[in-house]
Amino acid sequence: MSTFQNLGLNKDLLQAISDLGFTTPSEVQEKAIPVLLQSETDLVALAQTGTGKTAAFGFPMLQKIDINSRTTQGLILSPTRELCLQITNEMKLYGKYCKGLNVVAIYGGASITEQAREVKRGAQIIVATPGRMKDMISRQMVDISKIQFSVLDEADEMLNMGFKEDITDILSYTPQDKSTWLFSATMPNEVASIAKNFMYNPQEITVGNKNESTAQVSHEYYLVNSRDRYLALKRLADANPDIFSVVFCRTKRDTQKVAEKLIEDGYNAGALHGDLSQNQRDLVMKAFRNNQIQMLVATDVAARGIDVDDITHVINYQLPDEIETYTHRSGRTGRAGKTGVSMVIVSKSEVRKIKSIERIIKKQFLKKDLPNGMDICEVQLMSLANKVHHTEVNHDIDNYLGKINTLFEDTTKDELIKKFFSVEFSRFYNYYQKAPDLNVSDSQGAGSHDTDDSVRYFINVGRKDGFDWMQLKDFLRAILELGQDDLFKVETKDSFSFFNTEKALKEKVLNFFTDFKHNGRFVNVEVSENRGSGKRRDRKRNGSKRSDKRSGSKNRAERRHSGGKSKSRRSKSNDFAASRPRRSRR
Ligand code: AMP
């Protein structure tokens, strides 16, 4: 087994490593550090967060830069502010004995002039998010024309977030002969093309299987009707009284909604998503780190920077759009040698995704039943009993003991215990004593969406209007203010589409589209004669598979909705923006 000593690190770094309590190099450190120390090579490393990759590029960079010079020699680009601060922090810790070292973080949402001032004082290493970096370059507040090392950290995430152009732009200000070290959890084509275009003959290292789950995490799923998703979340929380968790939602809106509901229901919860101000996000993260928040409800992007080691559970309130993202989510738990559980609340229509995830993480999910009300009561009661048992006695109470003893003179110990626990416990018991079974069995006739309770609609927008099914789903959900599961079976054709909702939402949907305009065109929605998602039936209606591509082959419904026929009904314009106040009154 290798040691930090024989990786070739200098004594200042070894001292910091010893202070940090790192005893053995992690796999990515073992593979990357000697290569980066001994050569001027470019590097592509496939490694996830939590593998020790910051030190894998950080130690060689710290050893190779000239601390006596004030010139900026190293640039580390990272996708989020949180990650940027985290890397800066780690670099400072690793370089604590490198006298004169100045590592500066550059990120949006904080004073640009203050950051420029810090850089001006002489920063050998800059850690930056791409947007703010580009901004500072254009204002000539930084000079990266002499850097020798550039790191693209979490490259897949940066590209995912749309930073490709910014990164390309930033790199064009750096010297040709620098070394570029790219770290990424996955290697989509876009990352490969960055490696190809900006790196010269890079060495490649892979740590473990890039998407494999860590051994310490077990994976469970709970099959429920989608309308019961929130109740299921509460049961999972109640069945685990000491839970310290991240709850992942797919959108910012759902994230906020779920967190608000949890808070209303008395849980220590908080929301973390991109619509919060930086200050709000900092406060939430601080409360989470201090264990004041037990359930942090977060979007995938916002959760990237969470660096908390003792998360007990990751709860997938909804599965991510990209199933690869599941690995990132579940990797938030089971860190630093601890075990963790990744739970998925899943509806019947999504259950097939579990199989695909199993193939990616190379692990099997356990299908578990949600605990019933009485199971939860028992867990809570025993948790309370344990808490009481371990509570240190507050002797300020001694003065009142006489009075209290008189009050309970005729009460036996058993009775006293029962009374005491009833005070705390009745809330749970009352809530749960008649709680229904929320579990759906695999064989049970499909989830709520596949019953006759749904309505299929025709809408006269489609791919030509720039929608794929996912974009249309998000668009419709946003304008109609519907939840994640309220809209389903979305199918886009060239110039029209179909979607379903529960019958209960029919009026809301149809009313909304009486005078709605998108990109200057009236949008019409009608109940489709075709009830299912059945592609065959939709095709039959069109005559052939390709019929919607042919000009002049609009189906009946489409003809009804296209053109200006119905304009006479609507006198005033009501486009997306204009419709907002009306919706908010609902
Ligand atoms: P990273 O993948 O860089 O985000 O690192 C994850 C965590 O592991 C950080 O808190 C590091 O301080 C810690 N770490 C990095 N290298 C080691 C190591 N060799 N031994 C123990 N902990 C480490």
Side-chain angles (χ1 to χ4, degrees):
M1 197 199 293
S2 70
T3 60
F4 281 108
Q5 279 80 2
N6 53 32
L7 291 184
L9 296 170
N10 68 29
K11 69 171 186 5
D12 288 345
L13 295 174
L14 289 174
Q15 186 57 51
I17 288 168
S18 153
D19 289 1
L20 282 162
F22 298 176
T23 47
T24 33
S26 69
E27 189 184 348
V28 68
Q29 292 162 2
E30 201 174 345
K31 287 182 174 168
I33 292 173
V35 173
L36 298 182
L37 282 179
Q38 284 155 28
S39 61
E40 301 301 315
T41 183
D42 284 349
L43 176 87
V44 172
L46 277 172
Q48 291 189 36
T49 318
T51 51
K53 62 188 168 58
T54 314
F57 62 74
F59 289 141
M61 188 183 283
L62 288 165
Q63 183 149 323
K64 287 185 138 185
I65 56 167
D66 177 5
I67 307 249
N68 298 318
S69 157
R70 308 307 279 172
T71 309
T72 301
Q73 300 154 61
L75 171 67
I76 301 164
L77 291 177
S78 82
T80 63
R81 171 193 196 265
E82 282 77 14
L83 208 55
C84 170
L85 286 169
Q86 198 179 303
I87 295 169
T88 308
N89 235 356
E90 294 269 318
M91 293 294 281
K92 285 181 178 168
L93 286 172
Y94 301 157
K96 72 191 243 200
Y97 295 108
C98 306
K99 227 170 171 312
L101 173 70
N102 198 11
V103 184
V104 172
I106 284 180
Y107 50 87
S111 159
I112 198 165
T113 39
E114 181 49 37
Q115 288 173 0
R117 207 170 296 139
E118 281 192 58
V119 171
K120 222 171 173 189
R121 268 183 229 136
Q124 295 95 348
I125 297 173
I126 290 176
V127 189
T129 53
R132 175 55 64 96
M133 187 66 199
K134 208 180 136 189
D135 200 4
M136 289 185 71
I137 292 173
S138 66
R139 297 194 203 189
Q140 298 182 327
M141 288 170 154
V142 283
D143 176 11
I144 50 169
S145 65
K146 295 189 187 65
I147 64 161
Q148 294 160 38
F149 311 100
S150 66
V151 173
L152 303 176
D153 192 29
E154 308 231 349
D156 51 352
E157 200 53 36
M158 284 201 282
L159 297 179
N160 218 355
M161 289 168 73
F163 284 135
K164 186 172 182 183
E165 230 174 87
D166 286 351
I167 294 171
T168 312
D169 221 48
I170 292 165
L171 291 180
S172 72
Y173 289 91
T174 61
Q176 288 268 331
D177 61 354
K178 68 181 179 304
S179 299
T180 302
W181 306 336
L182 180 150
F183 286 75
S184 192
T186 54
M187 189 47 78
N189 286 342
E190 271 194 313
V191 177
S193 95
I194 288 263
K196 195 165 156 245
N197 296 333
F198 293 95
M199 298 166 81
Y200 176 72
N201 206 7
Q203 298 232 21
E204 288 176 22
I205 59 172
T206 304
V207 179
N209 177 315
K210 60 185 165 59
N211 279 317
E212 239 168 57
S213 145
T214 64
Q216 286 96 324
V217 181
S218 56
H219 303 263
E220 302 172 352
Y221 76 92
Y222 296 83
L223 189 57
V224 298
N225 281 319
S226 35
R227 62 172 171 267
D228 293 331
R229 214 175 271 275
Y230 178 70
L231 292 178
L233 173 65
K234 286 208 323 181
R235 287 212 186 166
L236 293 175
D238 289 341
N240 296 282
D242 296 320
I243 197 167
F244 182 54
S245 61
V246 182
V247 179
F248 283 99
C249 292
R250 214 170 65 86
T251 64
K252 295 179 207 170
R253 210 171 139 258
D254 289 339
T255 302
Q256 184 65 31
K257 230 168 61 183
V258 169
E260 278 172 12
K261 272 178 156 179
L262 285 171
I263 294 165
E264 260 173 44
D265 288 341
Y267 295 83
N268 298 325
L272 189 72
H273 56 74
D275 279 354
L276 301 177
S277 71
Q278 198 54 59
N279 197 26
Q280 286 171 313
R281 283 207 267 171
D282 289 346
L283 283 174
V284 172
M285 273 317 293
K286 193 169 166 215
F288 188 54
R289 277 199 193 93
N290 296 339
N291 286 35
Q292 287 156 337
I293 284 178
Q294 268 190 294
M295 300 175 82
L296 180 68
V297 192
T299 56
D300 289 295
V301 172
R304 293 296 292 186
I306 298 175
D307 178 33
V308 178
D309 278 341
D310 41 5
I311 291 165
T312 58
H313 295 75
V314 162
I315 302 180
N316 293 263
Y317 184 76
Q318 293 142 346
L319 279 173
D321 287 335
E322 304 278 336
I323 49 177
E324 285 78 9
T325 306
Y326 178 84
T327 327
H328 287 296
R329 290 184 174 186
S330 58
R332 299 282 138 205
T333 184
R335 291 162 74 114
K338 298 186 178 109
T339 56
V341 185
S342 176
M343 297 168 150
V344 182
I345 303 172
V346 77
S347 70
K348 196 96 179 176
S349 61
E350 306 163 305
V351 80
R352 70 198 148 72
K353 283 191 177 179
I354 295 286
K355 288 271 162 274
S356 317
I357 294 173
E358 282 179 339
R359 277 194 292 278
I360 288 180
I361 62 173
K362 296 200 164 52
K363 267 189 150 189
Q364 290 251 304
F365 272 81
L366 200 62
K367 180 183 182 300
K368 288 186 81 170
D369 278 344
L370 283 170
N372 66 36
M374 286 307 106
D375 291 342
I376 291 176
C377 286
E378 187 182 345
V379 170
Q380 288 285 340
L381 185 61
M382 290 320 294
S383 158
L384 183 60
N386 272 310
K387 230 180 251 168
V388 172
H389 187 64
H390 290 111
T391 295
E392 244 178 73
V393 173
N394 176 350
H395 287 286
D396 291 346
I397 293 168
D398 291 356
N399 295 336
Y400 308 97
L401 261 188
K403 273 190 196 166
I404 294 174
N405 270 323
T406 318
L407 194 63
F408 290 107
E409 222 166 33
D410 300 326
T411 316
T412 64
K413 182 183 170 191
D414 271 5
E415 262 177 332
L416 183 63
I417 291 176
K418 280 186 207 169
K419 275 176 186 276
F420 174 79
F421 278 95
S422 300
V423 172
E424 267 290 314
F425 184 62
S426 294
R427 186 175 60 91
F428 256 96
Y429 184 76
N430 291 340
Y431 179 78
Y432 274 121
Q433 64 171 335
K434 289 199 185 105
D437 183 5
L438 301 180
N439 295 296
V440 173
S441 75
D442 279 330
S443 55
Q444 209 167 307
S448 51
H449 295 336
D450 292 320
T451 66
D452 274 354
D453 284 331
S454 77
V455 179
R456 188 143 177 91
Y457 306 85
F458 166 92
I459 182 167
N460 66 336
V461 294
R463 289 194 287 262
K464 274 187 193 156
D465 303 285
F467 293 108
D468 62 21
W469 73 265
M470 204 119 65
Q471 289 161 328
L472 184 61
K473 185 174 178 176
D474 286 344
F475 173 71
L476 290 172
R477 279 187 51 218
I479 58 172
L480 289 163
E481 298 194 322
L482 298 178
Q484 160 75 12
D485 299 298
D486 292 336
L487 210 125
F488 45 98
K489 289 183 182 164
V490 180
E491 218 183 322
T492 44
K493 307 282 183 193
D494 266 9
S495 51
F496 60 93
S497 307
F498 296 96
F499 65 94
N500 282 35
T501 72
E502 304 276 330
K503 261 190 190 146
L505 291 167
K506 182 173 150 190
E507 219 185 307
K508 178 177 181 174
V509 173
L510 295 179
N511 281 346
F512 183 83
F513 285 102
T514 52
D515 55 356
F516 178 78
K517 246 180 164 185
H518 174 61
N519 286 346
R521 189 157 75 88
F522 285 106
V523 176
N524 259 14
V525 168
E526 275 200 10
V527 173
S528 163
E529 294 148 30
N530 163 27
R531 284 214 59 265
S533 66
K535 283 184 180 145
R536 263 183 32 231
R537 271 193 280 173
D538 291 342
R539 279 174 191 159
K540 207 163 131 197
R541 175 189 190 134
N542 285 339
S544 84
K545 266 189 205 179
R546 285 169 287 123
S547 62
D548 70 306
K549 289 195 183 115
R550 293 194 304 241
S551 62
S553 67
K554 290 170 185 164
N555 66 29
R556 246 177 50 230
E558 191 187 10
R559 273 198 302 272
R560 275 204 309 275
H561 299 301
S562 63
K565 178 175 174 276
S566 43
K567 273 185 188 168
S568 57
R569 269 186 20 228
R570 318 170 183 109
S571 50
K572 63 177 192 304
S573 157
N574 180 17
D575 62 12
F576 187 25
S579 72
R580 274 176 190 277
R582 190 166 66 92
R583 281 185 299 116
S584 64
R585 281 205 301 274
R586 291 183 180 193

